[in-house]
Amino acid sequence: MTRRYSALSLFKEGLAGQTGWKQAWRSPEPKPTYDAIVIGGGGHGLATAYYLANNHGITRVAVLEKGWIGGGNTGRNTTVVRSNYYYPESVELYGLAHRLYEGLSKDLNYNVMLSQRGMVNLCHSTAEMEIGARTVNAMQINGIDAELFSPDDVRRVAPIYNFSPDARFPVFGGIWQGRAGTARHDAVAWGYARAASRLGVDIIQNCEITDFIVEGGRCRGVQTTRGAIRAERIGMAVAGHSSVLAAKAGFRLPINSYALQACVSEPVKPILDTVVLSPGCGVYVSQSDKGEIVIGGGLDRIPSYAQRGNLPTLESVIAGVLEMFPIFGQLKLMRQWAGIVDVVPDSSPIIGPSPLPNLFLNCGWGTGGFKAIPAGGALLANLLATGKHNDISRPFDLDRFAAGRLIDEAAGSGIAH
Amino acid sequence: MQLFPCPFCGPRDETEFHYGGDAGNARPDGAEVPTDRWAGYLYLRGNPKGTAREIWVHMNCGEFFVMERDTVTHKVLSSTALGGEHTA
Ligand SMILES: Cc1cc2nc3c(=O)[nH]c(=O)nc-3n(C[C@H](O)[C@H](O)[C@H](O)COP(=O)(O)OP(=O)(O)OC[C@H]3O[C@@H](n4cnc5c(N)ncnc54)[C@H](O)[C@@H]3O)c2cc1C
Ligand SMILES: [Zn+2]
């Protein structure tokens, strides 16, 4: 039986006709009680379970997922990983995630295909260049790798951009992060699932939370489509559905749910080996390992739980792509899809206790939580294990709204909100 | 492309409209409003999955109105001027 992935196990399985591979994670029946329950089998939920077991030794843990793991935003995003944020609180958070990503394939014994091909945020005017310089300074002061790019630098990393003299969005320069790049999104979910399952975590799919069990004013478990399941510590990482579950738990959140779309072209030969974001065009683009051009843009215009996306936004995204890369005008689009993201007024996540005791939140990642999965998981695990914040999660508590201590990263998120 | 009903102009292209927040989220009044009441008004949202009552503005005519809408199917259930005198 082959459990660990290595060059040797690949070789042996090659000789054995690939018949010895073990199922990557177990699918047990839910138990009536656990030490901790994690609601939502996206990247953040699965990472939480893994770090609960790995960092805190809490292994009687269930991850409850209404559909299939990674079927939410984790499997629908455009896979960009970066830490080019502005405020020190965000730098701690996304910096931690970025460092964990760099060791993740080794930690999980699962290749998440992190590809640090660099990312450039373009500046299209002298005013944007000044903001760019300010961002680069802030990043450098906070110890994050960043470089202010000249037009020639941009031309070097993205020669196919529209540099013609009549371009609608001429390049004045850009913000470069060399350690940024992409990772395989499904692999992040599957890698955490496999590693957590091996440490004893029960991953239970097709199990929707329908209500909370509240006794003595505290959350003591959940009602699910597979029966009641109890625990004294419950974490929730359900992205676009946070408000739906919060309503069942009796509170409201500073969140609106929107569809965010993406699309990919047919695969073509390597032509773009970095991630390019243009705020002016409202678009970011990269090329996948399969050769597809992966295209993402801004939020849809109307609050929505319809996981498909609407046409006017897709049209403006495609128009933006053609401004940036006229050469892509010949490509055929293969697929378009959307995910429901949880948008918070300051574009920063909410991590911390909820108004219902024993229930803890990891939500509000909006359009940018894939890059944060290792940190979001580690921080929710810490909250579930200790009941308390650490220095990195503290600023992201729900109390920042009443206290007026917002961490406004609308610019750091890079696209229009 | 979806058509939204403006109570004043009738059915118009969705791109002419802008979302303005939850209907019925009244601004707190008076000098002694507690902090969490302000925070609730400014930030907390119902964000329902299903029927939602929302404020919208039709940018062409500049009128604000209440639209009842299903956030899953995007079906519009009703559309009324803020004072209630016009219904589409
Ligand atoms: C098109 C698109 C592009 C994006 N691009 C990027 C990017 O390039 N880089 C980046 O960093 N981020 C990106 N994001 C954002 C990123 O995908 C999310 O922030 C991140 O995946 C959130 O992870 P999660 O684990 O919190 O949520 P999800 O992966 O959505 O997982 C939540 C899970 O909860 C489950 N759930 C919901 N309700 C219940 C219930 N009642 N009971 C049980 N389970 C429930 C859902 O089925 C789902 O599987 C993008 C998002 C989209 C949609
Ligand atoms: Zn009108």
Side-chain angles (χ1 to χ4, degrees):
Chain A
M1 288 291 192
T2 304
R3 286 167 173 279
R4 272 195 79 76
Y5 301 153
S6 67
L8 183 63
S9 67
L10 261 180
F11 181 72
K12 280 204 218 147
E13 284 303 331
L15 292 180
Q18 316 288 353
T19 51
W21 296 111
K22 287 274 290 180
Q23 215 177 19
W25 58 87
R26 298 169 295 110
S27 292
E29 284 301 307
K31 299 186 185 80
T33 62
Y34 288 92
D35 289 338
I37 289 173
V38 182
I39 309 172
H44 283 273
L46 293 163
T48 302
Y50 169 71
Y51 291 118
L52 266 174
N54 193 66
N55 299 1
H56 301 280
I58 300 174
T59 55
R60 280 184 17 99
V61 175
V63 177
L64 308 179
E65 163 57 48
K66 76 169 171 188
W68 64 95
I69 63 165
N73 295 333
T74 296
R76 292 166 185 269
N77 68 77
T78 44
T79 76
V80 178
V81 173
R82 57 183 172 88
S83 52
N84 49 359
Y85 283 74
Y86 185 81
Y87 291 101
E89 297 88 340
S90 315
V91 169
E92 290 297 320
L93 179 66
Y94 293 99
L96 170 67
H98 208 156
R99 288 194 304 279
L100 288 171
Y101 255 121
E102 288 175 329
L104 200 57
S105 294
K106 196 160 171 281
D107 285 352
L108 301 179
N109 178 234
Y110 202 102
N111 187 0
V112 301
M113 296 165 77
L114 179 69
S115 157
Q116 293 178 290
R117 61 187 79 169
M119 171 172 182
V120 61
N121 286 26
L122 297 176
C123 301
H124 300 296
S125 64
T126 37
E128 281 183 31
M129 268 309 271
E130 282 175 19
I131 301 286
R134 182 170 174 254
T135 305
V136 167
N137 285 342
M139 286 168 63
Q140 289 177 348
I141 287 168
N142 288 324
I144 297 284
D145 64 307
E147 214 179 304
L148 193 63
F149 259 18
S150 70
D152 281 344
D153 294 325
V154 176
R155 199 185 285 269
R156 182 169 44 80
V157 299
I160 58 168
Y161 186 83
N162 183 4
F163 288 102
S164 73
D166 57 350
R168 192 163 156 216
F169 291 97
V171 169
F172 280 62
I175 304 163
W176 172 255
Q177 186 177 33
R179 283 166 63 238
T182 60
R184 174 78 200 276
H185 47 9
D186 300 314
V188 172
W190 298 336
Y192 273 118
R194 174 171 173 273
S197 177
R198 289 179 61 185
L199 293 172
V201 169
D202 284 0
I203 292 162
I204 297 162
Q205 305 184 76
N206 298 310
C207 179
E208 179 171 0
I209 276 60
T210 52
D211 213 343
F212 291 94
I213 301 170
V214 180
E215 286 164 5
R218 306 187 79 79
C219 191
R220 305 257 181 218
V222 291
Q223 298 289 353
T224 81
T225 46
R226 297 178 67 173
I229 306 176
R230 288 176 166 269
E232 289 300 307
R233 290 279 162 79
I234 295 147
M236 154 177 143
V238 297
H241 281 73
S242 303
S243 303
V244 175
L245 282 173
K248 293 182 193 299
F251 57 91
R252 291 189 304 164
L253 290 169
I255 287 179
N256 269 325
S257 294
Y258 283 90
L260 179 67
Q261 308 188 53
C263 52
V264 294
S265 74
E266 61 188 324
V268 288
K269 290 192 174 171
I271 189 164
L272 181 66
D273 66 357
T274 192
V275 184
V276 183
L277 184 151
S278 160
C281 300
V283 176
Y284 59 98
V285 181
S286 67
Q287 187 167 21
S288 77
D289 296 335
K290 281 184 278 184
E292 302 149 325
I293 305 299
V294 182
I295 301 162
L299 288 171
D300 273 15
R301 306 176 51 261
I302 51 179
S304 174
Y305 286 90
Q307 204 157 255
R308 55 172 191 264
N310 78 350
L311 208 51
T313 301
L314 186 63
E315 274 186 320
S316 72
V317 166
I318 298 299
V321 171
L322 299 184
E323 285 289 343
M324 293 167 75
F325 301 106
I327 193 176
F328 290 165
Q330 300 171 43
L331 291 178
K332 291 184 180 61
L333 273 192
M334 296 282 282
R335 296 187 301 282
Q336 170 278 350
W337 65 92
I340 302 303
V341 298
D342 40 358
V343 177
V344 178
D346 63 355
S347 308
S348 286
I350 299 166
I351 310 168
S354 82
L356 177 63
N358 292 8
L359 178 64
F360 293 83
L361 303 170
N362 165 330
C363 60
W365 295 99
T367 60
F370 175 69
K371 66 174 78 68
I373 282 172
L379 295 172
L380 182 58
N382 174 70
L383 278 157
L384 289 169
T386 66
K388 292 198 211 70
H389 274 299
N390 64 16
D391 289 345
I392 301 181
S393 61
R394 183 73 194 80
F396 296 94
D397 192 276
L398 194 53
D399 69 7
R400 75 176 185 270
F401 296 94
R405 277 195 319 268
L406 303 193
I407 306 162
D408 192 348
E409 284 289 359
S413 68
I415 54 171
H417 276 140
Chain B
M1 201 74 79
Q2 188 175 14
L3 296 180
F4 281 161
C6 170
F8 303 89
C9 314
R12 306 283 298 193
D13 192 302
E14 61 175 293
T15 57
E16 294 180 7
F17 295 83
H18 188 75
Y19 170 68
D22 284 352
N25 183 26
R27 191 176 194 277
D29 222 1
E32 301 288 297
V33 179
T35 318
D36 52 345
R37 177 81 183 78
W38 269 121
Y41 163 72
L42 286 170
Y43 301 117
L44 297 186
R45 298 293 173 256
N47 194 24
K49 183 175 186 176
T51 305
R53 282 189 78 244
E54 303 166 328
I55 304 280
W56 285 77
V57 61
H58 183 209
M59 293 180 290
N60 294 38
C61 71
E63 293 284 354
F64 285 78
F65 63 99
V66 176
M67 185 156 74
E68 232 182 337
R69 199 172 62 91
D70 188 307
T71 58
V72 181
T73 63
H74 291 187
K75 194 170 169 339
V76 176
L77 308 168
S78 73
S79 154
T80 347
L82 273 180
E85 61 272 29
H86 287 275
T87 305

